[in-house]
C-alpha cells in the first residue's frame, strides 16, 4: 500500500501572466514588463527559489521537532545563477539554474554540530532541494547561527 500524495495546481494564463489555484489559495506568477509581462507577481525562477525557501523552512521545523532541536526561527537568502541563453535556444547551455546559493541564519541555542546535523537532514529530505540536486544544480549552502 502506498501513501503517495497527488499535488494539484490548476492554472489559467492571460498572456505571460498565470494565475494558479492550489486548493483554496490563488497565486500569480508573471514576467516583468521588460519581458512582456505585467509584473503582477514573481517570475517562474523567482517562484522556484521562493518554493525552496518555504520547503526548507517546513522541512527544518519537522526535522527539528524529531531531533528535539531548539528551533526558534530562520531567515533564508537564496540566489540562483542562470544563463538566459539556454532559455533563448542555445543548445549547449542548460535552460535552468546552474547554481543556487542558500544562506541560512538560524535562531537557536544549539551548538554548531547540531546545526550541521539539522542542515544535513534538511538537505536530504527537502523535496524542492533534492529535486534541484537531482537536476545537477550546484547547491552552495551556508547555515550559520544568528
Amino acid at each position: 500500500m502506498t501513501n503517495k500524495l497527488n499535488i494539484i495546481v490548476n492554472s489559467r494564463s492571460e498572456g505571460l501572466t498565470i494565475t494558479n489555484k492550489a486548493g483554496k489559495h490563488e497565486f500569480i506568477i508573471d514576467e516583468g514588463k521588460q519581458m512582456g509581462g505585467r509584473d503582477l507577481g514573481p517570475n517562474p525562477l523567482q517562484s522556484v527559489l521562493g518554493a525552496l525557501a518555504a520547503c526548507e523552512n517546513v522541512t527544518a521545523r519537522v526535522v527539528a521537532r524529531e531531533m528535539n532541536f531548539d528551533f526558534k526561527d530562520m531567515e533564508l537568502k537564496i540566489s540562483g545563477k542562470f544563463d538566459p541563453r539556454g532559455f533563448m535556444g542555445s543548445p549547449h547551455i542548460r535552460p535552468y539554474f546552474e547554481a543556487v546559493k542558500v544562506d541560512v541564519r538560524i535562531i537557536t541555542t544549539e551548538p554548531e554540530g547540531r546545526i550541521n546535523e539539522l542542515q544535513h537532514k534538511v538537505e536530504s529530505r527537502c523535496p524542492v532541494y533534492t529535486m534541484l540536486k537531482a537536476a545537477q544544480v550546484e547547491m552552495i549552502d551556508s547555515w550559520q547561527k544568528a
Side-chain angles (χ1 to χ4, degrees), residues 72-124:
K72 297 190 185 334
D73 222 334
M74 70 189 309
E75 296 174 1
L76 298 95
K77 180 180 179 184
I78 302 179
S79 59
K81 183 178 175 187
F82 165 72
D83 186 336
R85 294 176 299 169
F87 169 75
M88 297 307 290
S90 290
H92 303 295
I93 299 174
R94 66 167 71 175
Y96 57 94
F97 290 118
E98 294 173 7
V100 170
K101 187 172 191 297
V102 181
D103 290 317
V104 176
R105 290 177 34 101
I106 186 163
I107 301 169
T108 184
T109 59
E110 298 282 354
E112 185 178 338
R114 293 262 293 163
I115 293 170
N116 292 340
E117 181 183 358
L118 177 67
Q119 175 185 356
H120 175 73
K121 288 181 178 186
V122 168
E123 291 171 358
S124 69

Side-chain angles (χ1 to χ4, degrees), residues 48 51-53 55-56 125-133 139:
V48 168
L52 175 59
C55 197
E56 284 210 35
R125 291 174 52 180
C126 173
V128 176
Y129 187 96
T130 56
M131 182 172 53
L132 290 167
K133 287 279 284 188
M139 301 301 288

